[in-house]
Coordinates of all heavy atoms in Angstrom, one line a residue:
E1 N 0.5 -26.0 34.7 CA 1.4 -24.9 35.0 C 2.2 -24.5 33.8 O 2.5 -23.3 33.5 CB 2.4 -25.4 36.2 CG 1.7 -25.5 37.5 CD 2.6 -26.0 38.6 OE1 3.8 -26.2 38.3 OE2 2.2 -26.2 39.8
V2 N 2.7 -25.5 33.0 CA 3.4 -25.2 31.8 C 2.5 -24.5 30.8 O 2.9 -23.5 30.2 CB 4.0 -26.5 31.2 CG1 4.6 -26.2 29.8 CG2 5.0 -27.1 32.1
A3 N 1.2 -25.0 30.7 CA 0.3 -24.3 29.8 C 0.1 -22.9 30.2 O -0.1 -22.0 29.3 CB -1.0 -25.1 29.8
F4 N 0.0 -22.6 31.5 CA -0.3 -21.2 31.9 C 1.0 -20.3 31.7 O 0.9 -19.2 31.2 CB -0.7 -21.2 33.4 CG -1.0 -19.9 33.9 CD1 -2.2 -19.3 33.7 CD2 0.0 -19.2 34.7 CE1 -2.5 -18.0 34.2 CE2 -0.3 -17.9 35.2 CZ -1.5 -17.4 35.0
D5 N 2.1 -20.8 32.1 CA 3.3 -20.0 32.1 C 3.8 -19.7 30.6 O 4.2 -18.6 30.3 CB 4.5 -20.7 32.8 CG 4.2 -20.8 34.3 OD1 3.4 -20.1 34.8 OD2 4.8 -21.7 35.0
R6 N 3.6 -20.7 29.7 CA 4.1 -20.5 28.4 C 2.9 -20.3 27.4 O 3.2 -20.2 26.2 CB 4.9 -21.8 28.0 CG 6.1 -22.0 28.8 CD 6.8 -23.3 28.6 NE 7.2 -23.5 27.2 CZ 7.8 -24.6 26.8 NH1 8.1 -25.6 27.6 NH2 8.1 -24.7 25.5
D7 N 1.7 -20.1 27.9 CA 0.5 -19.8 27.1 C 0.4 -20.9 26.0 O 0.2 -20.6 24.8 CB 0.6 -18.4 26.4 CG -0.7 -18.0 25.9 OD1 -1.8 -18.5 26.3 OD2 -0.7 -17.1 25.0
L8 N 0.4 -22.2 26.4 CA 0.2 -23.3 25.5 C -1.1 -23.9 25.8 O -1.2 -24.9 26.6 CB 1.4 -24.3 25.6 CG 2.8 -23.8 25.3 CD1 3.8 -24.8 25.6 CD2 2.9 -23.4 23.8
K9 N -2.1 -23.4 25.3 CA -3.5 -23.9 25.6 C -4.0 -24.9 24.5 O -5.1 -25.5 24.7 CB -4.5 -22.7 25.7 CG -4.0 -21.6 26.6 CD -3.8 -22.1 28.1 CE -3.2 -21.0 28.9 NZ -3.9 -19.7 28.9
R10 N -3.3 -25.0 23.4 CA -3.7 -25.9 22.4 C -3.0 -27.3 22.6 O -1.9 -27.4 23.0 CB -3.4 -25.4 21.0 CG -4.3 -24.1 20.7 CD -4.0 -23.7 19.3 NE -4.8 -22.5 18.9 CZ -6.0 -22.5 18.5 NH1 -6.6 -23.7 18.3 NH2 -6.7 -21.4 18.2
R11 N -3.7 -28.3 22.2 CA -3.3 -29.7 22.5 C -1.9 -30.0 21.9 O -1.0 -30.5 22.5 CB -4.3 -30.7 22.0 CG -3.9 -32.1 22.2 CD -5.0 -33.1 21.8 NE -4.6 -34.5 21.8 CZ -5.3 -35.5 21.4 NH1 -6.5 -35.2 21.0 NH2 -4.9 -36.7 21.5
N12 N -1.7 -29.7 20.6 CA -0.4 -30.0 19.9 C 0.7 -29.3 20.6 O 1.8 -30.0 20.8 CB -0.5 -29.7 18.4 CG -1.5 -30.6 17.7 OD1 -1.8 -31.7 18.1 ND2 -1.9 -30.1 16.5
G13 N 0.6 -28.0 20.9 CA 1.7 -27.3 21.5 C 2.0 -27.8 22.9 O 3.2 -28.0 23.2
L14 N 1.0 -28.0 23.7 CA 1.2 -28.5 25.0 C 1.8 -29.9 25.0 O 2.6 -30.2 25.9 CB -0.1 -28.4 25.8 CG 0.0 -28.8 27.3 CD1 1.0 -27.9 28.0 CD2 -1.4 -28.7 28.0
Q15 N 1.3 -30.8 24.2 CA 1.7 -32.1 24.2 C 3.2 -32.2 23.8 O 4.0 -33.0 24.4 CB 0.9 -32.9 23.2 CG 1.3 -34.4 23.1 CD 0.2 -35.2 22.3 OE1 -1.0 -35.0 22.5 NE2 0.7 -36.2 21.6
E16 N 3.6 -31.4 22.9 CA 5.0 -31.3 22.5 C 5.9 -30.9 23.6 O 7.1 -31.4 23.8 CB 5.2 -30.4 21.3 CG 6.7 -30.4 20.8 CD 6.8 -29.5 19.6 OE1 5.8 -29.0 19.0 OE2 7.9 -29.2 19.1
A17 N 5.4 -30.0 24.5 CA 6.2 -29.5 25.6 C 6.3 -30.4 26.8 O 7.3 -30.4 27.5 CB 5.6 -28.1 26.0
V18 N 5.2 -31.1 27.1 CA 5.1 -31.8 28.4 C 5.0 -33.3 28.3 O 5.0 -34.0 29.3 CB 4.0 -31.3 29.3 CG1 4.2 -29.8 29.5 CG2 2.6 -31.6 28.7
Y19 N 4.7 -33.9 27.1 CA 4.4 -35.3 27.0 C 5.5 -36.2 27.6 O 5.2 -37.0 28.5 CB 4.2 -35.7 25.5 CG 4.1 -37.1 25.3 CD1 2.9 -37.8 25.5 CD2 5.2 -37.9 24.8 CE1 2.8 -39.2 25.3 CE2 5.1 -39.3 24.6 CZ 3.9 -39.9 24.8 OH 3.8 -41.2 24.6
H20 N 6.7 -36.0 27.2 CA 7.8 -36.9 27.7 C 8.0 -36.7 29.2 O 8.3 -37.6 29.9 CB 9.0 -36.7 26.9 CG 8.9 -37.1 25.5 ND1 8.9 -38.5 25.1 CD2 8.8 -36.4 24.3 CE1 8.8 -38.6 23.8 NE2 8.7 -37.3 23.3
R21 N 7.9 -35.4 29.6 CA 8.1 -35.1 31.0 C 7.1 -35.8 31.9 O 7.5 -36.4 32.9 CB 8.1 -33.6 31.2 CG 8.2 -33.1 32.7 CD 7.9 -31.7 32.8 NE 7.6 -31.3 34.2 CZ 7.3 -30.1 34.5 NH1 7.2 -29.1 33.6 NH2 7.0 -29.8 35.8
I22 N 5.8 -35.6 31.7 CA 4.9 -36.2 32.6 C 4.8 -37.7 32.5 O 4.5 -38.4 33.5 CB 3.5 -35.6 32.4 CG1 2.9 -35.9 31.0 CG2 3.5 -34.1 32.6 CD1 1.5 -35.5 30.8
K23 N 5.1 -38.2 31.3 CA 5.2 -39.7 31.1 C 6.2 -40.3 32.0 O 6.0 -41.4 32.6 CB 5.4 -40.0 29.7 CG 5.2 -41.5 29.3 CD 5.3 -41.6 27.8 CE 5.2 -43.1 27.4 NZ 6.4 -43.9 27.8
A24 N 7.4 -39.6 32.1 CA 8.5 -40.2 32.8 C 8.4 -39.8 34.3 O 8.6 -40.7 35.2 CB 9.8 -39.6 32.3
D25 N 8.0 -38.6 34.7 CA 7.9 -38.2 36.1 C 6.8 -38.9 36.8 O 7.0 -39.2 38.0 CB 7.7 -36.7 36.2 CG 9.0 -35.9 35.7 OD1 10.0 -36.6 35.5 OD2 8.9 -34.7 35.6
F26 N 5.7 -39.2 36.2 CA 4.5 -39.8 36.9 C 4.3 -41.2 36.5 O 3.2 -41.8 36.9 CB 3.3 -38.9 36.6 CG 3.5 -37.5 37.1 CD1 3.9 -36.5 36.3 CD2 3.2 -37.2 38.5 CE1 4.0 -35.2 36.8 CE2 3.3 -35.9 39.0 CZ 3.8 -34.9 38.1
D27 N 5.2 -41.8 35.7 CA 5.1 -43.2 35.3 C 3.7 -43.5 34.6 O 3.0 -44.5 34.9 CB 5.2 -44.1 36.5 CG 5.5 -45.6 36.1 OD1 6.0 -45.8 35.0 OD2 5.3 -46.5 36.9
L28 N 3.4 -42.6 33.7 CA 2.1 -42.8 32.9 C 2.3 -43.6 31.6 O 3.4 -43.5 31.1 CB 1.5 -41.5 32.6 CG 1.1 -40.5 33.8 CD1 0.5 -39.3 33.2 CD2 0.1 -41.3 34.7
G29 N 1.3 -44.3 31.2 CA 1.4 -44.9 29.9 C 1.2 -43.9 28.8 O 0.9 -42.7 29.1
A30 N 1.5 -44.2 27.6 CA 1.4 -43.3 26.5 C 0.0 -42.7 26.3 O -0.1 -41.5 26.3 CB 1.9 -44.0 25.2
Q31 N -1.0 -43.5 26.3 CA -2.3 -43.0 26.1 C -2.8 -42.2 27.4 O -3.6 -41.3 27.2 CB -3.3 -44.2 25.9 CG -3.2 -44.7 24.5 CD -3.4 -43.7 23.4 OE1 -2.4 -43.4 22.6 NE2 -4.5 -43.1 23.3
A32 N -2.4 -42.7 28.6 CA -2.8 -41.9 29.8 C -2.2 -40.5 29.7 O -2.8 -39.5 30.1 CB -2.3 -42.7 31.0
A33 N -0.9 -40.4 29.3 CA -0.3 -39.0 29.2 C -1.1 -38.2 28.1 O -1.3 -37.0 28.4 CB 1.1 -39.2 28.8
V34 N -1.5 -38.8 27.0 CA -2.2 -38.0 26.0 C -3.6 -37.6 26.5 O -4.0 -36.4 26.3 CB -2.3 -38.9 24.7 CG1 -3.3 -38.2 23.7 CG2 -1.0 -39.1 24.1
R35 N -4.3 -38.5 27.2 CA -5.6 -38.1 27.7 C -5.5 -37.1 28.8 O -6.4 -36.2 28.9 CB -6.3 -39.4 28.3 CG -6.7 -40.5 27.4 CD -7.7 -40.0 26.3 NE -7.0 -39.7 25.0 CZ -7.5 -39.0 24.1 NH1 -8.8 -38.6 24.2 NH2 -6.9 -38.8 22.9
T36 N -4.4 -37.1 29.6 CA -4.2 -36.1 30.6 C -4.0 -34.7 30.0 O -4.5 -33.7 30.5 CB -3.1 -36.5 31.5 OG1 -3.4 -37.8 32.2 CG2 -2.8 -35.5 32.6
I37 N -3.2 -34.7 29.0 CA -2.9 -33.4 28.3 C -4.2 -32.9 27.7 O -4.4 -31.7 27.8 CB -1.8 -33.6 27.3 CG1 -0.5 -33.9 28.0 CG2 -1.6 -32.4 26.4 CD1 0.6 -34.4 27.0
K38 N -4.9 -33.7 27.1 CA -6.2 -33.3 26.5 C -7.1 -32.7 27.6 O -7.9 -31.8 27.4 CB -6.9 -34.4 25.7 CG -8.2 -34.0 25.0 CD -8.8 -35.1 24.3 CE -10.0 -34.7 23.5 NZ -11.1 -34.2 24.4
K39 N -7.2 -33.4 28.8 CA -8.0 -32.9 29.8 C -7.6 -31.5 30.3 O -8.5 -30.6 30.5 CB -7.9 -33.9 31.0 CG -8.7 -33.4 32.2 CD -8.8 -34.5 33.3 CE -7.5 -34.6 34.1 NZ -7.6 -35.5 35.3

């Protein structure tokens, strides 16, 4: 949703915007959050 609303389709830009958020909100590990963003 963040990628679509803010047109962040590249990994570096999207990871900077959502990494800490999804890691905390969904209790993901660091690598799990990175793999999810890449997906």
Side-chain angles (χ1 to χ4, degrees):
E1 292 178 0
V2 175
F4 181 80
D5 294 338
R6 299 170 57 178
D7 194 24
L8 297 174
K9 310 298 174 55
R10 295 184 178 274
R11 178 179 173 181
N12 290 340
L14 183 59
Q15 183 167 319
E16 183 178 353
V18 303
Y19 171 78
H20 294 287
R21 172 187 165 187
I22 65 172
K23 188 173 180 291
D25 291 351
F26 298 95
D27 196 22
L28 298 182
Q31 287 303 117
V34 171
R35 294 299 101 193
T36 300
I37 293 170
K38 183 179 183 298
K39 179 170 76 170

